[in-house]
Amino acid sequence: MKEAQGGWALALAALAWLAGVGLQLQQSALQPPHVYGLAVLAAAGLGAAGLLARRWCPRLAAPCLWLAIGLAAWGSTGWRAGGRLAEALSPALEGVDLVLVGRVADLPQVDAEGARFPFEVEQARDRQGQVVPVPSRLWLAWTSGSQEDGPGLGTPPPPLAGGERWQLPVRLRRVHGMMNPEIGRAHV
């Protein structure tokens, strides 16, 4: 009997987490980061109260824990979303020629059109040599297009290997469409 109750409790905890994440995803705008930090702290306090309530008021313990789980899910999802948005490419830098210094983060995907690879940025500078903020990780495409398409285009990419450090002239584009939003795109 206890095993069945444990299964239900785990399923309800998972539903509480899902409800918290779902509620956050339905928000039209993100809250300031401190709101999410306070929500996670409140969830920790509520969870501790729920654990203590198991001894003195068992009927309150489970709802208190489910609410704590939902609040923790809401807060942590908003916190992570805010962090990801802070890493987005500024619209002012889209289509601007930049020079990136960094390393190839993984094995490149090579095909007839060129090479695509994740790039971890150490430094980014504009034409005047000023440091500009870009996401710390980008998805670069070194294609064999025409020279008018951008710097470095028109020549096939050299052999690239994961872990290599490069200085590359690029023209960045913000993520559009169904591509993984975790990493941005650029042409080398």
Side-chain angles (χ1 to χ4, degrees):
M1 184 72 163
K2 286 236 181 216
E3 288 178 16
Q5 287 178 342
W8 277 108
L10 185 60
L12 290 172
L15 283 174
W17 185 268
L18 186 61
V21 170
L23 180 63
Q24 176 59 313
L25 294 176
Q26 294 301 313
Q27 301 293 306
S28 61
L30 291 175
Q31 303 296 318
H34 71 274
V35 172
Y36 297 123
L38 289 173
V40 171
L41 285 175
L46 197 56
L51 291 175
L52 290 173
R54 288 173 51 186
R55 180 174 219 176
W56 292 289
C57 188
R59 296 182 75 172
L60 271 177
C64 197
L65 289 172
W66 295 329
L67 186 58
I69 290 169
L71 188 58
W74 181 86
S76 65
T77 301
W79 201 339
R80 287 191 323 266
R84 294 305 304 162
L85 284 177
E87 277 274 310
L89 179 66
S90 166
L93 293 175
E94 190 166 4
V96 175
D97 292 340
L98 302 173
V99 176
L100 300 181
V101 176
R103 67 177 196 85
V104 178
D106 205 349
L107 296 174
Q109 300 171 2
V110 181
D111 58 21
E113 295 178 16
R116 288 168 176 43
F117 53 96
F119 192 74
E120 290 180 354
V121 179
E122 296 169 5
Q123 186 181 70
R125 294 188 179 270
D126 62 12
R127 285 185 156 188
Q128 291 76 33
Q130 299 294 318
V131 174
V132 294
V134 298
S136 60
R137 187 174 169 101
L138 299 168
W139 187 259
L140 300 180
W142 193 324
T143 59
S144 302
S146 67
Q147 283 290 351
E148 294 80 36
D149 289 338
L153 295 177
T155 58
L160 299 165
E164 288 183 337
R165 194 164 183 270
W166 283 81
Q167 177 175 323
L168 301 168
V170 299
R171 187 171 294 156
L172 299 176
R173 292 185 302 170
R174 293 177 15 163
V175 175
H176 300 284
M178 299 298 289
M179 186 175 172
N180 184 352
E182 204 170 320
I183 49 181
R185 286 194 75 186
H187 281 291
V188 177

